[in-house]
Structure formats: structure tokens, C-alpha cells
Amino acid sequence: MAPSLLDLAPVVPVVVIDDASDAVPLARALVAGGLPAIEVTLRTPAALDAIRAIAGDVPGAVVGAGTVLTPAQVTRAVGAGARFLVSPGWTDVLLEAMRASGVPFLPGVSTTSEVVALLERGVREMKFFPAQAAGGTAYLRSLAGPLPQARFCPTGGIGIESAPEYLSLPNVGCVGGSWMLPADAVAARDWGRIEELARGAAGLSAGGTCR
């Protein structure tokens, strides 16, 4: 069985790409720093071209699509080479499209009822979003007792300082974040700095179920 997306690395970089020509060198820097799972958000016109470029030209990268909101986006993202899908929330229509895609997916949740509803539908791995605003580590810790079968990738407001506390929780496999991609470094195409920051993220202590 293929490893879970939640177990590939302690941190999944959440990437917004405005210029598709930056995609390959940026992804190479992240992979060299030890972060192979890369979520390219579908927030810009360049996103699908970026996914396509990374999928074709960066060995070792496991590129996925984030901010997936519609079945059409599921189809386009997988067609571009996305190997996983992440949504900020879910509906039954979107969930079935992601399930039918044949690639791993993390539907977003922020409430206990949403978690229970996904468990009822056979989904045990989820994105917890927006993590900090939705209750942070205290909320996730509270879910671990009654819902131990659910595992999460918290994303939203997480930085290098708060990531270790999330990773210490038994129901957290990894976290999503963008602190290893500061805007000034991306604008300057300082891939060396991004690789260094990625290496620091990859070395974070992960507790319990993550590596």
C-alpha cells in the first residue's frame, strides 16, 4: 500500500504561484530541502501550468492541487498531473468527485459534525482549516479522545513556532504552511534560501503518527 499523504513529511508547503516559470525551480528547492509533498493552490491562473511543470520536471516531487472547490477543478487538476487534492471544505458533490478521481484527497473540516460526517462516509484523513482560527491545538486535542480514527493535516495560520505543538498531537500526521516560502524570497527567486527554510521545516519534530 502506498504511504499516506500525511506521512510523506511533517510539513506540506502551501504554494501560491503567480508565474508558472517559477514552479520548477521552487519545487526543486522544496524537494532538496526535504519537503516532497507540494500543494499548489488553484488561486491563480498559473496554477494548473505550475502543477503540470512540476509533475513533468521535478523527480521526487509529489505535487497536488489545493483550494479545490468544484468537480471541474478536480478533473483539470488531475489532468495536469496532480497526485493529491486538498479542499478547504466539502460537499457531497465535491467529495464524490474527489473520490472518483483516483488520487488521495484531504477534504477540509472545521467542526466536529463535519468530521463525524466524513467518518460516516469512510474518510479518515482530513484537512483541518482554518486551523488557528478554528480552535488550534486545543480543539484537535479535544477531538482525539472521542474520534481517534480521524487524522488531520492542520493548515491556516501555522508557522515554524506553532508547528511542533500541532505535530506532537496523536491525531496530526503533518501540517500545511507557507512560512518556508516568504514573499520576498519568491520574488527574488532566492531558491537557496527557500531550500534552507524547507530543510528547517522538514527537520521539525513530529510526534505520534508522522515520521
Side-chain angles (χ1 to χ4, degrees):
M1 181 181 291
S4 163
L5 171 63
L6 272 62
D7 295 325
L8 291 177
V11 179
V12 176
V14 179
V15 183
V16 179
I17 294 181
D18 293 304
D19 185 341
S21 67
D22 289 338
V24 167
L26 186 153
R28 285 176 175 160
L30 293 172
V31 172
L35 300 180
I38 301 169
E39 176 188 335
V40 177
T41 64
L42 301 183
R43 302 179 192 176
T44 69
L48 289 174
D49 286 339
I51 290 170
R52 190 174 291 109
I54 294 169
D57 294 332
V58 187
V62 180
V63 65
T67 321
V68 176
L69 302 175
T70 67
Q73 287 181 321
V74 169
T75 301
R76 289 194 292 267
V78 174
R83 293 170 60 184
F84 65 89
L85 304 167
V86 183
S87 67
W90 66 278
T91 65
D92 280 319
V93 170
L94 179 58
L95 186 67
E96 287 311 306
M98 292 193 292
R99 197 193 301 272
S101 72
V103 303
F105 57 92
L106 295 175
V109 297
S110 60
T111 70
T112 305
S113 294
E114 290 171 327
V115 176
V116 171
L118 283 178
L119 292 173
E120 186 178 80
R121 290 159 173 77
V123 178
R124 296 190 173 194
E125 297 188 344
M126 313 166 194
K127 171 179 178 172
F128 181 60
F129 176 85
Q132 288 289 88
T137 55
Y139 195 97
L140 287 170
R141 189 177 293 110
S142 297
L143 293 181
L147 301 171
Q149 64 272 54
R151 295 180 71 211
F152 300 96
C153 175
T155 305
I158 298 174
I160 186 111
E161 299 84 6
S162 56
E165 185 178 0
Y166 280 95
L167 291 168
S168 71
L169 299 176
N171 55 351
V172 169
C174 60
V175 302
S178 57
W179 71 85
M180 73 298 299
L181 298 161
D184 59 338
V186 175
R189 295 177 168 82
D190 189 348
W191 312 126
R193 181 181 171 202
I194 288 173
E195 179 180 340
E196 181 181 357
L197 291 169
R199 187 169 292 111
L204 288 174
S205 174
T209 55
C210 202
R211 62 176 204 145

